[in-house]
Amino acid sequence: MPRDPHRPLRADAQRNRDRILAAAVRVFSEEGLDAHFERIAKEAGVGSGTLYRNFPTREALVEAAYRSELARLCEAVPGLLAAMPPYEALRVWTRHFMDYVTAKFGMADALQAVVASGTDPYNESRRMIQAALASLMEAGTTAGEIRSDISPADMFAALTGIALTSAGPDQRDQAERLIDLTLDGLRPVPPGPGEL
């Protein structure tokens, strides 16, 4: 019997759900639509019944795994800003973004099946990612570490371009170099001679 989505989960049930979602991202990224629920349950350390109770269909699991990765990416921002200077927080977050994109590309076939079933797992993605970027960039601008003339939409476009060309696991070094190049462009330009 599927669980009631409106009822809060017990702590142990939430841990199981989180482990299932993390395992699903890994397995769908590796195997796409061929991923077996039994492998996901085994990797999560739960029984098949627990997996089916939480996610009665493949589409429900794929969508939840994708949304979980998106939430994890966006919810990392306050902790990063609390732990380090804004420019460094943005730099670390861009690595999380590439992890998210790599997982998303790995799950592309499974996500397309979800879209084909009539659900749009992407409907809030752009807004959530741009809001996360806005928080990071606003903190950087306030601290004088980031230029104020670059918008979160500009940065999202740059990161998306990097992701489209370099999101594969074997291209990670190139992606990080391109991100560093982009981040260097966010640094405030010191005044030239005669502009002081």
Side-chain angles (χ1 to χ4, degrees):
M1 172 180 205
R3 73 171 199 84
D4 176 358
H6 303 293
R7 210 170 100 217
L9 292 173
R10 297 183 326 262
D12 61 329
Q14 185 63 54
R15 279 191 300 276
N16 284 343
R17 184 178 170 82
D18 292 344
R19 287 199 313 262
I20 290 167
L21 292 173
V25 169
R26 285 191 307 274
V27 175
F28 281 123
S29 293
E30 292 169 12
E31 299 179 10
L33 287 174
D34 296 330
H36 292 283
F37 266 32
E38 291 75 22
R39 177 171 173 217
I40 294 169
K42 184 177 180 182
E43 285 213 13
V46 301
S48 294
T50 300
L51 191 151
Y52 282 105
R53 237 186 337 276
N54 281 277
F55 307 103
T57 66
R58 179 175 302 276
E59 290 79 13
L61 178 57
V62 170
E63 181 178 2
Y66 171 72
R67 289 186 189 277
S68 174
E69 286 297 290
L70 176 63
R72 198 168 65 141
L73 171 70
C74 296
E75 290 167 3
V77 170
L80 291 173
L81 287 172
M84 58 193 73
Y87 182 85
E88 187 59 24
L90 177 60
R91 185 178 184 286
V92 170
W93 186 87
T94 60
R95 273 47 182 188
H96 293 320
F97 177 81
M98 287 308 296
D99 292 341
Y100 154 80
V101 170
T102 300
K104 178 180 164 187
F105 282 178
M107 295 173 61
D109 290 342
L111 285 164
Q112 286 298 15
V114 171
V115 171
S117 75
T119 304
D120 182 5
Y122 307 118
N123 66 348
E124 291 293 313
S125 303
R126 176 180 290 251
R127 183 194 60 75
M128 289 174 66
I129 292 170
Q130 284 192 19
L133 274 168
S135 295
L136 289 160
M137 293 177 71
E138 183 178 311
T141 300
T142 300
E145 298 177 351
I146 294 175
R147 293 167 43 180
S148 60
D149 61 333
I150 307 294
S151 73
D154 293 337
M155 188 63 184
F156 180 69
L159 290 174
T160 300
I162 293 168
L164 289 173
T165 60
S166 307
D170 56 332
Q171 298 171 306
R172 185 60 181 246
D173 289 343
Q174 180 185 38
E176 294 201 8
R177 286 192 305 273
L178 292 170
I179 288 172
D180 285 342
L181 180 64
T182 302
L183 291 174
D184 285 348
L186 290 180
R187 293 280 198 185
V189 180
E195 295 179 3
L196 298 173

